[in-house]
Amino acid sequence: MSQKFKAHVLPNAAPVSNGNSAAMETSIRQLLANGNSKAALESAKQFHKTEHSLASEVLLLEAYKARIQTLLDQNLASEAKALIQLVQERFPARKEQLTDIGAVASARSGELSDLVQPLNDPELSAERRAAIEQILQTQLADLQALADCQALPAEHSLRQAAAALERAFQAVTSGPVSDEQIALPEVSHRSPLASWKWLIRAIAALYRGEDAACRESLTFIKAESVPARLGPAMQAILGAVTDIAALKPHERTLVSTVSLNLLDLRGALQQLDEAFIRDEDERIFKAVRNAVRECQRSAPDRLPLLKQIIDVRGGESGLDGARLIASMEGAPRRDAAYFRMYARQLETAGGDPEDLAEACEMWEAFRKAAISEGLFTGHSVELAVLYLHMAGNLAQMPAKMLREFQRDGNLNTWATDRSQGDDRYYLHPEKLYARACLIDRDSEAFSQWLNWAKGQTITEAENVAKQWHKARPGDIEPLLHLMKQAEKRNAFPSALAYLEKAERIDAVDSVVRAARWRLLTAAALRHLQQKKPHLALQKLTEMAALPQSQQGNRPGFLAAFRVLICSSLADKDAANEASREAERLLGGLTAILLIFTIATTAKRDELAAVPPPKALKDKDREAIPAAFASVLTIAKDAGIKKIGLASEYFDETQKQLPRAAGKLDLEQLRALGEIGGWAGYPKIAWAASTEGLKRPNAPEAFFLMVRARALKAEFEDRKIVLAAAAVELARFQGDAEALNKAVEFLREFSGDDTPTLTLTLEQARAVVVKESAYPDLPGFFTPVPDYSDLFPADALCQCANCRRKRGESASGPFEDIPDSFDFAEGDEDANEDQDLFPDFGFDESEMRKMFKQGLPKGTPPEMANKLFEIMKQSILTGESPEKLLAELLGPPDRGAKKQKKKLWGKK
Amino acid sequence: MNAYEILGLAANASAEEIRIAYLNKVKEWPPDRSPEKFEEIRDAYDELSDPRKRAKAMFLDTTFTAPLVSLIDSLPVRRAFTGPKLWHEVLKAK
């Protein structure tokens, strides 16, 4: 191998070997196969120079063609065309072999004359025509070149189609286009340019946001056609291709330019949100400027809303208004949306009740703007709802504060222009309700008005009810309200008149049906009280004529009542007969107690008498709880709220109940549970609830609430647990009344609408099971159930006293008890600091005071000391000290009990 | 999305516009093919077709308290017109 040859051999060119031409040829073909056309061409030139054979010439021509193709692929069409010309000059005999690739190069370079010239020949073979069209389809990227190609006549369909496509392409990539602009009737579906038509439609759909249509159009583009080259970029714009980095540089540029990037705006908005959360003024102002600028740039149609939100939030954050507006480069639009936003912000801030008045002012501004903008009219339902909403706001404000606002509130001027004589009606709930009901005579509106008025004055509520009745005579609610008010002031004829109206509307309404019985009873009682027995008898006759008079114990009640009326009429025979009837229907003791109850309610005690319980036989005394409960049930049914029975009967009921409870039905237990609660006999309530919880299908929620109310105040945690369990059980059992009571009860502890404790149904049922195991009303030394697991650990008071009340262990309660005590009068102070029951949280003086209060007056100090020793021993041995004391001393008097509660109630 | 957005309506749409929008949406999302979407559309219509409910929803709206990025979440797809040059460059490159 010569030095000259070596200098011309490219590094990758295959070395020429005189003796191994076959190997050389193989090497060149390998280079071609590997796509290394440049080295292959150089080697082929050397090979042909050496061999000068036909085979080497063929191989050289193949290498030239490969090189030309590479140049075309590199968009070097001119270089490719020059090389083709060179080869054709050097190998004129093989010119034909380069015709096709020459046409491709022409198409690529836009020099189409040679390519399309044959199309003018009507004798052109179909194959040749198809080949030219194939080249146009797969290589022509410059439509304008074809449109301008002089080799074809101006009216040639290809030139016409190319010109139309170029116009459409320019239009569709430059702005919105009409359907006519992209209809392109010049381009048939058989045209080699048909794929361009689909491309233009795809681009139009892309810009219109019709992504599905865009995708569909793309599917009609032939894969080998030039328009198909835009496929990956368009799929990326559509979001189908997420890896933008995988695209070619031109494609990436197109995708990033066409796809409007909201990332900057998104980031700016997030920063603004964070700034408001951090509540740092400088940071907020900076973020506001940035967000407004970005919004202006990439989403200008969102800018008005953004400014409004910023202004409202800025107001909440107490930002300098002028500076905020400057940061926003202008004030927000003060339209209905703005005022609504402002009002809602004031309502939901939840801080100052004054905000609610300001919110109403903003709602008034909203009303004016909304009517002006045509959101609703001045007499539309929407306006009525708005008035109710505003009134609801004011109803939440403390009355005194509201009055101050009404008098001299210094509000803004959005809503009110006093110089124009604007009425500040929007600060007066009554005016708002009246306006709402005037516009929309809806029951719900009147109901809200009446509920509000009930919290004002009786007269106001009655006036509202009368207006409601006048506006909607078919509604029963206002009549029932008026009836109840009349009943409360003993105006029974008026109450009955309202009732008659209500009965005409809905005679089967449960409230209406109960009211008739209750009102007639009340009227009869009043006549009896006024010593007008003949009138009372009339009412009683009316009652007897009612269909519901035969329900339950009502016949017995009528008989009992008749006893008193007949006695008042001095008709002894009739009275006796009625008495026998009552006893027959109710039982002897129940009848006696009921007659007495009716007599005391009518303030005619002289007409009836009951023997003291002690005068009764043992069997009758045992029946007292059942009789007592029956009387309570009958009295409740008749609307009699005061039970005039002597306290001995309560005491006796309390005494007998633990033994008799098993014989009572659920209704009787309910009655005793209720009476025990409000009459100050918690043991009655407790015993009734204990028995009630044992019964199958018992209203467990009701009995748990009975227990919750019966417990002393210091058992707060247990009260909460019981009420929380009642809430869950009432919800499960659909007991709306118990649910409402339990929720209200819990609110007393939490002070707001948030429940203090929430239990699951399983936990609530476990509470019932636990409670059933504790039949005694708890005192200080009574074992109590442990509910600590139901409370969050950090919500529990860990003082020994509270731990014990929750039922948690308080170990070693008497570890530090001194061996002897001195309870001598006057020595209390000496022992005041001594921690007698350290783990219980009680000090000695408290214990001593409590203990002494439980002793009868005049108990000698020595005896007190001895008794305390007994109590201490009883605690150590696990006995109930209360029980022990009660056995030793008898039940404490009421006054002492109250005082004790006060002393022990403190934490 | 609030009821107006679900039905593609402006906040001051009339009762007739609400009804027409509802019927169109039901055609687009029939209950047999898209039960969940249909339910959403029906709930939106229930709210908007009752003037009291519609008004209550309007007065209780708190969308302004949502993160600010929600302002652009519902923006329609936006694409910039670039002219033919960038498109041509992709077409010419192979």
Side-chain angles (χ1 to χ4, degrees), chain A residues 73 75 108 169-170 172-176 196 206-207 211 226 229-230 237 250 257-258 260 265-266 269-270 272-273 298-299 301-302 305-306 309 313 340-341 344-345 363 366 375 381-382 385-386 389 440 442, chain B residues 4-5 11-13 50-94:
Chain A
D73 290 346
N75 262 355
R108 286 282 183 90
F169 189 77
Q170 293 273 347
V172 82
T173 53
S174 303
W196 284 89
L206 184 81
Y207 278 120
D211 290 5
V226 171
R229 296 175 192 171
L230 273 167
I237 295 168
H250 287 315
T257 313
V258 171
L260 268 182
L265 176 57
R266 188 173 289 274
L269 294 175
Q270 282 170 344
L272 182 53
D273 266 330
S298 39
D301 55 326
R302 286 289 191 265
L305 181 57
L306 175 64
I309 295 174
R313 290 199 189 172
R340 185 184 65 189
M341 215 182 284
R344 286 298 291 152
Q345 187 268 316
W363 282 122
F366 163 78
L375 285 180
V381 172
E382 286 91 343
V385 176
L386 176 61
H389 184 76
D440 182 17
D442 179 41
Chain B
Y4 288 99
E5 287 169 343
N12 58 353
D50 180 338
R52 292 188 188 96
K53 281 186 186 173
R54 189 171 65 219
K56 269 184 192 171
M58 186 203 298
F59 304 140
L60 296 176
D61 176 57
T62 52
T63 49
F64 67 94
T65 60
L68 288 169
V69 287
S70 63
L71 277 177
I72 56 172
D73 281 343
S74 58
L75 278 181
V77 177
R78 292 173 176 225
R79 287 159 188 153
F81 289 102
T82 61
K85 190 181 170 191
L86 291 175
W87 297 85
H88 270 309
E89 282 172 6
V90 177
L91 287 167
K92 284 179 180 171
K94 187 180 178 187

Side-chain angles (χ1 to χ4, degrees), chain A residues 180-224:
Chain A
E180 289 72 27
Q181 282 177 285
I182 57 171
L184 298 167
E186 303 89 344
V187 187
S188 77
H189 70 279
R190 288 183 183 172
S191 167
L193 304 178
S195 288
W196 284 89
K197 190 170 171 176
W198 287 114
L199 174 67
I200 285 162
R201 289 183 181 177
I203 295 172
L206 184 81
Y207 278 120
R208 287 171 178 172
E210 297 166 357
D211 290 5
C214 176
R215 287 191 192 94
E216 189 181 5
S217 294
L218 287 176
T219 61
F220 293 116
I221 296 174
K222 290 187 176 167
E224 68 277 14

